Amino acid sequence: MMRNTLLLLILLLGSGCGGGDGAPTLVSTTGPDTSDSSGPSSTQPPPGNVTLVPFLKGLDQPVDMQPIPGTDRLAVVEKSGLVRVVETGTLLDEVLLDLRGSVTTGSEQGLLSIAFPPDYEDGGDAYVDYTDVNGDTHIARLDTSNGSLADVIVIPQPASNHNGGGLAFGPDGLLYVGMGDGGGAGDPEGNGQNRESLLGKILRFDVSQPAPKPEQFAYGLRNPWRFAFDGDDLWIGDVGQGAWEEVDRIDANAPPGANLGWDAYEGKEVFEPQQIDDSRLVFPVAVYSHELGCSITGGFVYRGEDVPALQGRYVYGDYCSGRIWTLPAAGGSPLLLKDLNVPSLAAFAVDGRGELYAISLDGSIKRFAAAP
């Protein structure tokens, strides 16, 4: 997420894959269809009613929440450096990690996410993403029994924005990591299309190995602010520059190395004409213009039971406007949930039952529910 004009004050904060081994292509001055797929004609909610109900408040800039495997508890990440524990809707005194004083919390920096591996119940460690006092990104293994950390990788950051920060374990058991392009308007260092850089990528690591090396699963991202798996499909909210926000989906059949287009494209529109390798180019499945928001917050495909109207739909929103959309995972047009709004919408989350939550940087978390 994050617009550049907001960076000093706030955090944050497709699918068609070209085939073949074509030679690098010069991006033309006109890209694919650039229509705003969530405009005025798509403002009605899906059948049934959806509402938001209070879940937690009084948090310090929450940016992530994950179920703790094998328990009914949730781990809540605060940007300032704490991983706190929630049980049956109550915030406990217990903390899994305290990095206060060891993280930089300006702009889009801080403690940004936590992920639990499939073997966590068998004594596995959790993993966190944070920026240190120098502003560099650490992906670190967390022993939740004592709060100790061991780095998996440290990635230098040239600026305080576009840090990415999302973590998720995929169906392959690998740890996926979202990295922004390094900051600055228009990707000044060209990291998005540079396969030699770890910035502007979705990386993955085999953390079962003693010294895992990063593999580039996807490139051409500006700032992937939250991504999530639905089965084998990876859904990404990638923050735009000055015109378009985008939803990307890398489907299960796409080979590693998908090119999501930045900074040749912003959304579906040409941003900077240049030579790119289009053989793995994936265009967004949905975009919206800056008339409707300015910084996407990626979400989840809903697979819970409490809100039938959302079943099988990808839910995402915008940090700046607080708007929330849904998009059929099987294909179709986005729909704006016009009666719902979450100011400072920093993240979405699902619990162990697959129920969906919206997290606000103002310190509150709300749960999606079926309206009476």
Side-chain angles (χ1 to χ4, degrees), residues 279-298:
S279 64
R280 297 178 187 269
L281 193 61
V282 175
F283 283 112
V285 294
V287 298
Y288 63 89
S289 76
H290 282 193
E291 294 179 355
L292 297 174
C294 77
S295 189
I296 192 170
T297 296

Side-chain angles (χ1 to χ4, degrees), residues 120-133:
Y120 181 75
E121 292 180 69
D122 300 323
D125 295 322
Y127 293 82
V128 295
D129 182 308
Y130 71 94
T131 53
D132 65 20
V133 292

Side-chain angles (χ1 to χ4, degrees), residues 52-76:
L52 289 166
V53 298
F55 179 69
L56 280 177
K57 61 181 180 179
L59 297 163
D60 181 13
Q61 298 185 88
V63 290
D64 192 18
M65 185 171 73
Q66 299 291 334
I68 302 175
T71 76
D72 293 329
R73 295 179 166 192
L74 299 164
V76 177

Side-chain angles (χ1 to χ4, degrees), residues 148-166:
S148 64
L149 290 174
D151 284 329
V152 174
I153 192 171
V154 179
I155 301 176
Q157 291 282 3
S160 62
N161 61 331
H162 302 185
N163 298 141

Side-chain angles (χ1 to χ4, degrees), residues 39-117:
S41 63
S42 303
T43 58
Q44 298 302 312
N49 295 317
V50 181
T51 189
L52 289 166
V53 298
F55 179 69
L56 280 177
K57 61 181 180 179
L59 297 163
D60 181 13
Q61 298 185 88
V63 290
D64 192 18
M65 185 171 73
Q66 299 291 334
I68 302 175
T71 76
D72 293 329
R73 295 179 166 192
L74 299 164
V76 177
V77 176
E78 295 180 334
K79 180 177 180 282
S80 55
L82 286 180
V83 178
R84 308 182 70 177
V85 178
V86 176
E87 186 171 25
T88 60
T90 300
L91 193 62
L92 306 182
D93 292 334
E94 176 185 354
V95 298
L96 298 183
L97 177 64
D98 186 349
L99 278 182
R100 291 174 297 181
S102 299
V103 297
T104 299
T105 59
S107 188
E108 301 174 16
Q109 301 164 314
L111 179 58
L112 299 178
S113 59
I114 189 169
F116 295 90

Side-chain angles (χ1 to χ4, degrees), residues 76-370:
V76 177
V77 176
E78 295 180 334
K79 180 177 180 282
S80 55
L82 286 180
V83 178
R84 308 182 70 177
V85 178
V86 176
E87 186 171 25
T88 60
T90 300
L91 193 62
L92 306 182
D93 292 334
E94 176 185 354
V95 298
L96 298 183
L97 177 64
D98 186 349
L99 278 182
R100 291 174 297 181
S102 299
V103 297
T104 299
T105 59
S107 188
E108 301 174 16
Q109 301 164 314
L111 179 58
L112 299 178
S113 59
I114 189 169
F116 295 90
D119 67 351
Y120 181 75
E121 292 180 69
D122 300 323
D125 295 322
Y127 293 82
V128 295
D129 182 308
Y130 71 94
T131 53
D132 65 20
V133 292
N134 296 316
D136 296 328
T137 291
H138 290 243
I139 310 302
R141 184 178 289 110
L142 168 64
D143 184 339
T144 56
S145 67
N146 59 24
S148 64
L149 290 174
D151 284 329
V152 174
I153 192 171
V154 179
I155 301 176
Q157 291 282 3
S160 62
N161 61 331
H162 302 185
N163 298 141
L167 297 177
F169 277 91
D172 52 10
L174 303 181
L175 177 64
Y176 287 70
V177 178
M179 296 298 300
D181 66 8
D187 192 9
E189 297 189 359
N191 290 317
Q193 291 297 313
N194 180 6
R195 300 300 301 276
E196 301 301 315
S197 172
L198 296 181
L199 300 176
K201 311 295 187 292
I202 299 289
L203 308 174
R204 64 181 179 182
F205 296 81
D206 183 355
V207 293
S208 68
Q209 300 301 312
K213 302 298 182 183
E215 175 189 358
Q216 293 189 15
F217 179 75
Y219 70 105
L221 295 110
R222 185 174 181 272
N223 192 33
W225 185 252
R226 299 324 194 198
F227 60 87
F229 284 93
D230 178 48
D232 292 330
D233 297 338
L234 181 61
W235 291 79
I236 306 166
D238 194 23
V239 179
Q241 177 67 50
W244 297 99
E245 303 298 305
E246 69 182 73
V247 174
D248 297 301
R249 184 185 70 220
I250 302 176
D251 68 39
N253 298 318
N259 181 3
L260 301 186
W262 176 254
D263 66 338
Y265 292 94
E266 180 189 8
K268 301 178 183 181
E269 189 172 83
V270 172
F271 181 80
E272 181 178 312
Q274 60 188 277
Q275 293 282 345
I276 67 167
D277 182 356
D278 71 345
S279 64
R280 297 178 187 269
L281 193 61
V282 175
F283 283 112
V285 294
V287 298
Y288 63 89
S289 76
H290 282 193
E291 294 179 355
L292 297 174
C294 77
S295 189
I296 192 170
T297 296
F300 292 83
V301 176
Y302 180 75
R303 300 295 182 185
E305 298 180 355
D306 292 351
V307 195
L310 295 181
Q311 185 61 235
R313 303 181 74 91
Y314 179 68
V315 181
Y316 62 103
D318 186 86
Y319 175 85
C320 304
S321 68
R323 290 183 169 97
I324 296 173
W325 291 267
T326 76
L327 175 69
S333 298
L335 297 171
L336 176 66
L337 297 177
K338 62 180 181 179
D339 296 326
L340 300 186
N341 192 279
V342 177
S344 304
L345 177 59
F348 293 89
V350 294
D351 62 21
R353 296 176 52 244
E355 297 308 324
L356 184 66
Y357 300 78
I359 301 174
S360 172
L361 205 63
D362 71 7
S364 65
I365 300 178
K366 294 183 178 180
R367 180 174 56 84
F368 286 79

